[in-house]
Amino acid sequence: QPNVTSYGATAVAIITLEAFAGVWINAFIICVLCIAWVKKKTLNSSEKILLLLGCSRFCYLCLSWVYYFLSKIYPYYLYAHHILQLLQGAYSFFNCSNLWVSGCLCVFYCIKIANFRNRFFIFLKVNIDRIVPWLLLASEIFSLVIGILVYNIIDKAVCKNLNFTCQGRLWKATIGIEEHLFPVHFLTGFVYTTSFMAVIFSAVFLLFSLWRHKRKMQTNSMNSLSMDAHIRAMKSILSFFIMYSINFMSLILALIYSTKHQKHVMFLVYLIQHAFPGVHSLILIFSNPKLEKTLLRILSCVKCKLCMR
């Protein structure tokens, strides 16, 4: 039987709406890019990153919602037949993939648009299109390693604490499991920190490049189209930075309150974590001319059909 209060039902409804919106936004990105891939039979580097990011976020939101739904409505189901281990392992894989691939996107924007005379930077700029597939492959391999480690850590914790089936002692068992999840929190913190550092360095380098480029333009009294590219990339990376900062704070709150059972704080954490993939993907759509035009065309068609009714 479902085990839920009115507060729990409200929380599940809000998270469901949030996850549903995020799933559709990322499904839109996947569909548009897959159609373009079939038509052109190739994708450029930014489209490859966006496609993998959309797939990661789509799967992440689905698994995250399933885990949240079960934990609130059917909590006993999580501790049967390796469901908790599988969900947490897959969730960690797609979450890591989401964070590291979005970090790769920031680095790509920085290398592609910023201008520096450093030999290493010039080498990266020339070879970035060949580097991107390897960078994405490395991100997925590292994410898979993190997912496997999380699965093993939780499997050991579950085996140690759930060697009985009495429902009256299940609450004590869940507390025992959470107390053994410090390695999982450490791995999650590592993933967040590395991706966050990639975003910070990309924003700093791009901002410095923009400042130098603007000074050069003022000195030479000439206009340049690359200024618009700089500004667009800066807006995108600054949006990354702001959202990563909020997401990073939610991680710190999760680390502090995960074992204290502060349901209001943890609900806020889940709210932020489910909002991040959808809102950030929406920003990416409006910063990409192809995706933006397709979305506006679809919305105008929907509006016309509604008016005709």
Side-chain angles (χ1 to χ4, degrees), residues 139-207:
S139 298
E140 295 307 299
I141 291 171
F142 283 128
S143 300
L144 183 60
V145 170
I146 295 290
I148 292 169
L149 287 173
V150 168
Y151 178 91
N152 288 332
I153 290 166
I154 293 178
D155 189 52
K156 288 178 182 177
V158 169
C159 291
K160 188 174 181 180
N161 290 277
L162 285 183
N163 43 15
F164 44 81
T165 56
C166 176
Q167 289 186 357
R169 296 179 65 191
L170 183 62
W171 177 248
K172 292 180 181 179
T174 58
I175 295 173
I177 291 170
E178 288 172 354
E179 287 173 350
H180 288 84
L181 294 185
F182 177 76
V184 175
H185 294 319
F186 176 79
L187 289 172
T188 307
F190 168 74
V191 172
Y192 270 80
T193 303
T194 51
S195 56
F196 191 45
M197 292 300 292
V199 173
I200 290 172
F201 281 117
S202 299
V204 169
F205 282 130
L206 201 56
L207 189 62

Side-chain angles (χ1 to χ4, degrees), residues 292-302:
E292 184 181 11
K293 286 178 184 177
T294 307
L295 179 62
L296 293 175
R297 189 165 62 246
I298 291 170
L299 291 175
S300 64
C301 290
V302 172

Side-chain angles (χ1 to χ4, degrees), residues 261-272:
H261 304 289
Q262 297 285 335
K263 61 181 181 180
H264 297 291
V265 177
M266 291 308 297
F267 172 69
L268 178 63
V269 170
Y270 283 120
L271 204 65
I272 293 169

Side-chain angles (χ1 to χ4, degrees), residues 68-125:
Y68 189 80
F69 178 82
L70 288 177
S71 66
K72 294 298 178 185
I73 308 297
Y74 297 102
Y76 295 111
Y77 283 16
L78 286 174
Y79 302 97
H81 307 298
H82 296 275
I83 290 176
L84 179 64
Q85 297 93 309
L86 289 170
L87 278 177
Q88 282 286 0
Y91 168 87
S92 298
F93 168 72
F94 288 114
N95 187 30
C96 293
S97 177
N98 161 33
L99 293 169
W100 274 336
V101 173
S102 56
C104 289
L105 185 62
C106 289
V107 172
F108 173 79
Y109 281 155
C110 178
I111 293 171
K112 201 75 175 175
I113 295 170
N115 291 307
F116 294 103
R117 294 179 182 178
N118 182 275
R119 287 184 181 181
F120 181 68
F121 190 85
I122 293 170
F123 170 80
L124 290 175
K125 199 175 186 71

